Amino acid sequence: MTGNTMPSADGRGGRFDLNTIVAAFPETASTMLRDTYLADSPLRSIRAFRIYRDVPPHYHTQCDEILHVLSGEGTFWIDDPAAEAPFAPGHLLVFPKRAVHAVPRILRPPAVFLAIDTPRRAPDDVVFIHPADGTPSGFIAGI
């Protein structure tokens, strides 16, 4: 692996310039999120993603999702909407597999995260609590 932002589809690892990766995210998107896989293997995926609008309650069936907040501020909750709490750069959010979670407010964009999913999170692994809130194809798109 020789490049700063070269993905590691085979799970070998590499070095990634997160500032360059984050700068490549567009200012707007038709999906709730845009992401890019930095590493992708059956054991885990590592992604950088940007949230473009509030994310309704959902869960993932295949993995735990661990998010490091790189930029932005907002609120999130896990398992209970009454437990809504703020997030800011430097915070780590951990969502176990099948735990319902949401990001109901983006207070200071851009909200950008580094995600570590164990095992791998497939792009279509999102189940909305209220199906009218979205579909996997409307949830996230890669860059």
Side-chain angles (χ1 to χ4, degrees), residues 60 63-67 76-78 93-103:
H60 308 289
C63 67
D64 291 348
E65 184 177 44
I66 303 160
L67 305 180
F76 79 100
W77 58 262
I78 182 169
L93 313 179
V94 179
F95 304 122
K97 179 170 58 173
R98 297 194 177 277
V100 176
H101 55 283
V103 179

Side-chain angles (χ1 to χ4, degrees), residues 2 5 43 57-58 139:
T2 58
T5 60
L43 297 177
H58 67 284
F139 179 64

Side-chain angles (χ1 to χ4, degrees), residues 42-62:
L43 297 177
R44 50 99 176 104
S45 53
I46 302 172
R47 303 171 293 121
F49 71 88
R50 179 177 174 173
I51 298 177
Y52 290 90
R53 58 184 182 272
D54 303 341
V55 178
H58 67 284
Y59 62 92
H60 308 289
T61 64
Q62 300 168 0

